[in-house]
Amino acid sequence: MDEVSLRIEAAPEQVYDLLADITRMPEWSPDLWRCSWRGKVREPVVGARFIGFNKTGFPTPNVIESAQPA
């Protein structure tokens, strides 16, 4: 498991809204070129699944374990 900390000068609600939209992740990652929801649930709730497609060619499946708006 990886973890990164970064201080952002913005309201917590704004930051959550940006990060909760997984389709925008490629905007901020130099390695990710696409991210999309998997299954019927297409919103940031516990249990929702999505997959990231890295430029290296390896897809990364993900499951949301915690989702708490600020």
Side-chain angles (χ1 to χ4, degrees):
M1 177 180 277
D2 293 329
E3 184 175 320
V4 176
S5 295
L6 176 67
R7 180 167 174 79
I8 299 173
E9 295 292 331
E13 298 83 12
Q14 290 174 307
V15 175
Y16 182 87
D17 288 345
L18 289 172
L19 296 178
D21 183 355
I22 59 100
T23 62
R24 295 194 63 189
M25 290 297 117
E27 293 178 38
W28 305 299
S29 172
D31 296 320
L32 188 66
W33 68 271
R34 191 174 114 216
C35 200
S36 58
W37 293 107
R38 298 176 65 201
K40 293 181 181 181
V41 180
R42 297 178 180 274
E43 60 183 317
V45 296
V46 174
R49 298 178 304 138
F50 63 96
I51 191 164
F53 296 91
N54 296 315
K55 292 177 181 175
T56 57
F58 298 104
T60 307
N62 303 275
V63 178
I64 296 178
E65 294 182 1
S66 177
Q68 299 173 341

